[in-house]
Amino acid sequence: MMKVIFYILLLLSGFIYAQKNIVDTLSEFNYSQLKSKFDDYYDNDKVSESKIIAQYYLQKAKKEKNNLQIAEGYILIHFNEDFPTALKYIDSLEIITKNIKGNLYPTRTYLMKGNLYFKYDYLKKALDNYIIALQYAKDQKDQKQIAYANINIAYLNNYLGKYAEAAKTFRYYLYNPNNITNESQHNQIRVSLINCYIELNKLDSANILIKEGQKSPFTGKSKYSVNQYLYFSGYSNLKQKKYTIAINELTKTYNFFSSINDNNANYALYSLGKCYDGLNNKEKAVEYFIRLDSNIQKTNITFPELREVYTYLIDYYKEKNDKEKQLYYIDRFLKVDKKLDEQFQYLSTELPKKYDTPNLLQEKEEIINDLKNRKIILYASIGFLLLILLLVLYLYYKAKKTAKEHRKIAQELIHSIEKRNFESTTDIKKEIPELSQISEHAETENIITKTAPEEVTLFILKELEIFENKQLFLKSGITLASLAKNIKTNTSYLSETINNHKGKNFTSYLNDLRIDYVLERLVKDKKFRTYKLPAIAEEIGYNNVQAFATAFKKKTGTTPSIYIKEIETQK
């Protein structure tokens, strides 16, 4: 029933909808044709298409600076928006129509605002706005808008359960449609009157109107209307205890309404639950009622029959001795009951006798006491989770601390390289130390052994200088044997010379040359810094990025990624 009232005001502006010879290009449509096309899409639940029409309508009106049509654009566009956005459009409607002369505004603004509040279950605000609209309409002696206000209040009464009072208004305007010229509005009045008749147990009158509506040409054009009448047919059969027929019809309507996220899906779920309860299939009834509760939690849109749903679920789980679910649905009942009481004060005397609020609160306390042992387990679990959380926080802190140390190392490296580059204004040629110097240095190291002749050692040192200066260490696949072969010596002499005069083994010597090179190049070469780590590793002679990262970390104490990041930060 929630969508019903939104059809009532689509034609309040007095424009006649054109239905023929509409071309495909929106720019060729006039305002009346655009509204007609919007109505067609909206009635058939084509949301995206109706949105496009509404947006184009508003853009066209703003471009032409037509305030009356801008107002119509705000109305059209708000239908497919969520509550906060839709309310903003209605507020914009109020602003744009402030200085428009005539009887249409502000009455229509309050009617539209009331409809929006009604749709999202703010019933008190809906009623307040309807009353203001009715007063404006009476002051202006606008019979058409008086009719709209009366019908909207009747929709509210119908929702509240004042079926006899609502039926009186619906019946009057259904059979005296002097001010109701639109077929869609006429159809919705009939639908609402059917609902009143079923609730009042006037099933014969309801069935006559259902058949009349199903045969209506308007219904054939709208899947929504087809499913509305099918729902009421199923609801009527439920009242007549024709449960199997009712289930078949209600299932179809539920599938349709749930596919378009329409609140009528909740009424279908309620009716299906009642059908299965009538068939003594409690498990199936509970299944539908649980699904209904899930939907209510998502939308927070309630209706009085929910009290019956929750008392049914409470009783069911009480029989099953499932105290946790019993407690859960008592809490759900109390929340829904509180909201219903706020909006339906006159229904407070009709609370279920078995589960009035004080008794439910007492029962709730008893169940809580019963579940204290489970709380101990819960607290233990929470304690365990806290320990895990503390461990995670410790590891996180440790990782952050390590990262900070790595950044500091990287910053110091960058600073030392930049300082060295700044101070090196001229190239200083490296000289091979005299053999006597080498011997003096060697004498200080007890672990140094010499087997290579002095002239061989000098030769190897010169070749190593060439190896370093020409950056031959950047080639991949270099080994002690391959380097010895290239400089025409043996691996023993080469290894001995590197150990004694470079103070490290061959692998460390090669890695240090490469890492020293990459440290300086990364500082100087911006393009080189943009390379991925695998590319950098390959560029300096490593077969894989892991070997490069390991050598880099061992040499510097930080990682290539942090080093590059710090360079970029400083640059």
Side-chain angles (χ1 to χ4, degrees), residues 108-290:
R108 191 182 185 196
T109 301
Y110 286 107
L111 288 171
M112 298 304 301
K113 191 174 287 188
N115 288 348
L116 186 60
Y117 281 125
F118 180 88
K119 178 181 179 182
Y120 288 96
D121 207 28
Y122 299 107
L123 302 185
K124 186 179 183 300
K125 288 186 177 182
L127 182 59
D128 291 343
N129 280 277
Y130 288 151
I131 290 173
I132 294 172
L134 181 60
Q135 189 58 52
Y136 272 113
K138 286 181 177 179
D139 291 344
Q140 296 168 341
K141 297 180 181 180
D142 188 331
Q143 295 302 317
K144 190 171 186 178
Q145 296 208 90
I146 289 173
Y148 291 139
N150 284 332
I151 290 168
N152 286 330
I153 291 172
Y155 285 132
L156 187 58
N157 284 331
N158 180 48
Y159 181 78
L160 293 173
K162 292 185 175 182
Y163 302 116
E165 187 176 340
K168 183 178 178 181
T169 302
F170 293 140
R171 189 164 48 244
Y172 174 82
Y173 285 108
L174 183 64
Y175 297 111
N176 298 280
N178 297 330
N179 295 304
I180 309 298
T181 57
N182 181 258
E183 190 177 4
S184 174
Q185 297 167 0
H186 188 268
N187 180 70
Q188 297 309 321
I189 292 170
R190 179 169 52 219
V191 166
S192 298
L193 183 56
I194 291 169
N195 182 70
C196 290
Y197 280 152
I198 294 176
E199 296 297 346
L200 293 168
N201 215 31
K202 296 181 178 180
L203 300 180
D204 290 338
S205 298
N207 290 336
I208 290 171
L209 289 179
I210 289 171
K211 290 178 181 178
E212 181 183 302
Q214 289 175 330
K215 293 178 182 178
S216 167
F218 176 83
T219 302
K221 301 174 185 177
S222 170
K223 289 182 180 179
Y224 192 91
S225 293
V226 168
N227 280 276
Q228 275 186 314
Y229 287 112
L230 187 60
Y231 164 78
F232 283 116
S233 178
Y235 194 31
S236 176
N237 282 317
L238 165 61
K239 292 286 187 177
Q240 298 172 67
K241 299 184 179 181
K242 299 177 181 178
Y243 300 122
T244 304
I245 298 173
I247 288 171
N248 182 51
E249 293 176 326
L250 291 168
T251 300
K252 291 178 181 178
T253 61
Y254 170 72
N255 291 337
F256 173 77
F257 289 129
S258 61
S259 71
I260 60 171
N261 294 321
D262 186 89
N263 195 54
N264 277 320
N266 288 343
Y267 290 99
L269 285 173
Y270 166 76
S271 299
L272 283 165
K274 293 291 291 181
C275 285
Y276 282 108
D277 180 49
L279 292 171
N280 255 351
N281 189 341
K282 288 188 176 183
E283 285 72 22
K284 201 71 175 175
V286 166
E287 177 186 330
Y288 281 102
F289 287 156
I290 289 173

Side-chain angles (χ1 to χ4, degrees), residues 25-146:
T25 306
L26 291 178
S27 60
E28 296 179 13
F29 293 158
N30 60 33
Y31 290 111
S32 181
Q33 290 171 328
L34 286 170
K35 284 198 287 185
S36 177
K37 199 166 185 65
F38 173 88
D39 195 40
D40 289 341
Y41 285 133
Y42 189 79
D43 287 345
N44 288 285
D45 300 291
K46 296 181 178 180
V47 176
S48 58
E49 292 87 345
S50 62
K51 275 188 175 182
I52 292 171
I53 299 295
Q55 289 167 356
Y56 179 81
Y57 191 108
L58 183 59
Q59 290 172 0
K60 175 180 171 69
K62 285 184 175 180
K63 185 177 181 180
E64 295 175 3
K65 298 181 180 179
N66 187 329
N67 285 348
L68 188 61
Q69 297 303 336
I70 290 173
E72 292 295 328
Y74 286 138
I75 290 171
L76 294 182
I77 206 168
H78 100 283
F79 282 113
N80 289 313
E81 300 295 338
D82 57 22
F83 176 74
T85 307
L87 190 58
K88 288 179 182 178
Y89 280 118
I90 297 300
D91 290 339
S92 299
L93 171 68
E94 185 175 3
I95 294 169
I96 199 70
T97 59
K98 189 174 182 179
N99 298 319
I100 292 179
K101 296 181 180 180
N103 295 338
L104 193 59
Y105 296 100
T107 307
R108 191 182 185 196
T109 301
Y110 286 107
L111 288 171
M112 298 304 301
K113 191 174 287 188
N115 288 348
L116 186 60
Y117 281 125
F118 180 88
K119 178 181 179 182
Y120 288 96
D121 207 28
Y122 299 107
L123 302 185
K124 186 179 183 300
K125 288 186 177 182
L127 182 59
D128 291 343
N129 280 277
Y130 288 151
I131 290 173
I132 294 172
L134 181 60
Q135 189 58 52
Y136 272 113
K138 286 181 177 179
D139 291 344
Q140 296 168 341
K141 297 180 181 180
D142 188 331
Q143 295 302 317
K144 190 171 186 178
Q145 296 208 90
I146 289 173

Side-chain angles (χ1 to χ4, degrees), residues 447-465:
I447 61 171
I448 294 177
T449 59
K450 293 195 295 181
T451 59
E454 292 181 353
E455 61 272 14
V456 172
T457 300
L458 287 172
F459 171 77
I460 292 174
L461 288 172
K462 287 181 181 179
E463 290 297 323
L464 289 177
E465 184 180 28

Side-chain angles (χ1 to χ4, degrees), residues 477-509:
I478 297 174
T479 63
L480 181 66
S482 65
L483 181 58
K485 183 178 180 181
N486 286 339
I487 64 177
K488 298 181 176 59
T489 187
N490 61 51
T491 57
S492 297
Y493 289 166
L494 177 59
S495 178
E496 178 188 315
T497 303
I498 291 174
N499 281 318
N500 292 342
H501 298 281
K502 301 297 181 180
K504 61 195 77 173
N505 60 31
F506 173 76
T507 302
S508 297
Y509 168 68

